[in-house]
Amino acid sequence: KAGVTQTPRYLIKTRGQQVTLSCSPISGHRSVSWYQQTPGQGLQFLFEYFSETQRNKGNFPGRFSGRQFSNSRSEMNVSTLELGDSALYLCASSLLGQPEETQYFGPGTRLLVL
Amino acid sequence: AQTVTQSQPEMSVQEAETVTLSCTYDTSESDYYLFWYKQPPSRQMILVIRQEAYKQQNATENRFSVNFQKAAKSFSLKISDSQLGDAAMYFCAYRRGSYGKLTFGQGTILTVHP
């Protein structure tokens, strides 16, 4: 099975712009979670989607949003980019999103905001 | 709120030797899951080992084993016969209940010397 894929791998934006990142889960996985990784804050949970519905959300401002499509692919959007949004964005998939399941991570999208 | 603490920002080990990475966590729950993930320079997060809190037996995966002390809320990772390919950032993570959300420690950078 192919692993979790994320596109694009690298992205450079300027402050005030918006950005959309994409994640394709492992085939058959229906839960997709997003994380932000920065040197200062470490790995922080953004949100989780299952069957096109957001089931859980971390403590991030409303500028961070996401969605999931019927094929389980997910996108996250960040509007009005700030310098502090520069980070590695990781998505992870699992079968149903249950606590006992292992999450499998993608390679990440490196976002640089200038 | 659950917290995960990795008190060793950096560790080093000689090839073929054994190293132990520490992790403590804070939770009032009795049923949860603990994970160790490895993140090499390529940035792809890879699951190393997982432990169910209801299991008394420590998990083992080849050269990787854990010492799970539930009462002490401690979950250390032992890497035996260290190899150059083990060099990476290691994250301890906790999960309980809520969909998708993993709570990560700050990570430990492991260097393996030939």
Side-chain angles (χ1 to χ4, degrees), chain B residues 16-102:
Chain B
E17 298 290 303
T18 295
V19 64
T20 299
L21 309 184
S22 301
C23 172
T24 58
Y25 56 94
D26 183 24
T27 183
S28 58
E29 306 294 339
S30 60
D31 188 19
Y32 48 87
Y33 301 85
L34 296 165
F35 305 83
W36 277 99
Y37 279 91
K38 166 186 175 181
Q39 188 178 41
S42 67
R43 294 292 185 178
Q44 181 98 37
M45 293 274 279
I46 303 163
L47 177 70
V48 174
I49 199 166
R50 56 175 279 158
Q51 174 80 43
E52 293 83 356
Y54 63 84
K55 290 186 177 178
Q56 292 187 333
Q57 187 172 6
N58 289 324
T60 299
E61 287 287 342
N62 301 314
R63 299 183 294 107
F64 299 88
S65 62
V66 299
N67 183 3
F68 173 49
Q69 302 290 326
K70 192 172 183 178
K73 297 179 184 175
S74 170
F75 181 61
S76 61
L77 173 69
K78 186 171 85 170
I79 306 173
S80 304
D81 185 26
S82 296
Q83 300 175 0
L84 295 178
D86 294 334
M89 175 85 91
Y90 285 80
F91 290 96
C92 177
Y94 165 100
R95 187 171 179 189
R96 195 270 183 233
S98 60
Y99 296 117
K101 181 179 179 181
L102 279 164

Side-chain angles (χ1 to χ4, degrees), chain A residues 15-90:
Chain A
R15 278 181 300 174
Q17 286 187 310
Q18 74 166 16
V19 66
T20 300
L21 313 181
S22 180
C23 172
S24 292
I26 291 171
S27 177
H29 285 192
R30 295 167 61 191
S31 168
V32 175
S33 297
W34 289 89
Y35 295 86
Q36 181 195 63
Q37 184 176 17
T38 60
Q41 299 298 316
L43 278 152
Q44 294 185 288
F45 173 75
L46 281 155
F47 29 64
E48 188 260 4
Y49 284 86
F50 177 83
S51 289
E52 303 177 64
T53 301
Q54 186 185 90
R55 293 193 301 187
N56 199 4
K57 188 177 188 303
N59 188 26
F60 278 82
R63 300 185 297 106
F64 292 81
S65 63
R67 59 177 176 168
Q68 186 181 37
F69 302 94
S70 58
N71 62 356
S72 295
R73 187 177 71 86
S74 177
E75 289 180 348
M76 67 163 281
N77 183 276
V78 187
S79 62
T80 318
L81 283 166
E82 300 177 359
L83 295 180
D85 298 333
S86 294
L88 180 69
Y89 291 89
L90 296 167

